[in-house]
Amino acid sequence: MATKDDLVDAGVRLLERDGLAELTLRTIAREAGVSHGAPRRHFPTYAALLGAVARRGVDDLDALLAPALKRARGATGVRNAAQAYVDFAMQRPDMFELITRHDLLEGAGGELRGVTASWFDSLRAAMSRVSGREVEPVDALSLWAGVHGVAVLFSRRAVEAAAPGATSGADDPAPALARLVDALVPAAGAR
């Protein structure tokens, strides 16, 4: 009989190998080597199972992002944290898609919002350290939205389609992140 961890492991493997579209209750059960009804013993809903799979990705991203945000003392540190977020998206695009699909994960459990909310708070704190003043939530949200947009465009290899003139940097998000951070993270005393 498969344990909860066996089912989540199977879901992660399936997601990383075949993508989010193939992640169903039946395919997870098949991957775990159990009947299609077996996951219900551990997860009351499909959303709960998706939430557990997403939690693995959130924990993996948190292991990269949280330390980078805590270390961020200057614009370079904020850029490094942004790069960690984009790198995760590029290396694990299907997991990135799942963990950012709040429509699928709403009410799934796993305390996902608590972890991701801490990223936002840490980003705002890092921006405040760099600027020497309390950064408004909308400023941190603007940077987050920009970094997330870069992550989506690069992880889905959509840069060429979205920005045909930017094809020379279609495989390297670093210049775009540098410009974004430099534009949205004021240096101390700049305002």
Side-chain angles (χ1 to χ4, degrees), residues 43-73:
F43 299 98
T45 65
Y46 172 62
L49 179 52
L50 278 183
V53 171
R55 182 57 195 240
R56 290 275 180 90
V58 166
D59 288 345
D60 292 346
L61 180 52
D62 188 54
L64 301 170
L65 194 56
L69 285 167
K70 283 185 180 159
R71 286 191 306 265
R73 295 283 178 241

Side-chain angles (χ1 to χ4, degrees), residues 89-157:
M90 290 176 68
Q91 292 162 10
R92 298 177 68 189
D94 293 303
M95 181 60 82
F96 181 75
E97 182 181 357
L98 175 61
I99 67 176
T100 59
R101 288 286 307 271
H102 297 284
D103 59 321
L104 294 177
L105 298 173
E106 186 67 38
E111 302 296 323
L112 301 172
R113 295 258 173 142
V115 176
T116 59
S118 74
W119 297 339
F120 181 79
D121 293 341
S122 295
L123 174 64
R124 187 171 171 219
M127 291 174 71
S128 294
R129 285 192 303 272
V130 173
S131 69
R133 65 172 179 80
E134 187 70 22
V135 168
E136 295 296 322
V138 69
D139 294 332
L141 179 61
S142 296
L143 180 58
W144 187 288
V147 170
H148 183 76
V150 170
V152 170
L153 287 171
F154 279 86
S155 69
R156 293 293 171 202
R157 302 181 199 282

